[in-house]
Amino acid sequence: GVIDTPLWNKLDLKWSKIENLKKGQKKINIGKQVPIGRIGTTAEVAALVIFLSSSGSNYITGQTINVDGGNVLN
């Protein structure tokens, strides 16, 4: 999924120039395209990693878990 990292700040600046947008507007536009309505955070990815590393996930095997705000529904 689209996760807000420092790379997105660089991409936002480049796309802002290409599309003649204000700084930050491209990230907002991308976030609006995600079904949940926003870009994900690194903390949300980390929370999944922590869960999968815990005993709470002992019975989970061979799964693809999408951290994407609903872009892909399985």
Side-chain angles (χ1 to χ4, degrees):
V2 181
I3 305 299
D4 194 4
T5 65
L7 175 61
W8 261 105
N9 294 328
K10 293 177 184 177
L11 291 173
D12 179 75
L13 284 174
K14 287 184 179 186
W15 278 105
S16 295
K17 291 176 185 175
I18 293 168
E19 295 182 358
N20 197 28
L21 299 170
K22 292 181 182 178
K23 180 181 174 187
Q25 189 60 50
K26 185 65 175 185
K27 281 173 61 172
I28 292 169
N29 294 349
I30 293 291
K32 287 179 181 177
Q33 294 175 9
V34 176
I36 204 168
R38 62 178 177 79
I39 292 175
T41 67
T42 55
E44 290 167 321
V45 175
L48 176 62
V49 172
I50 290 168
F51 169 70
L52 292 173
S53 302
S54 76
S55 61
S57 68
N58 283 347
Y59 205 63
I60 297 173
T61 61
Q63 299 299 310
T64 300
I65 302 174
N66 300 313
V67 183
D68 65 2
N71 276 329
V72 176
L73 299 174
N74 295 343

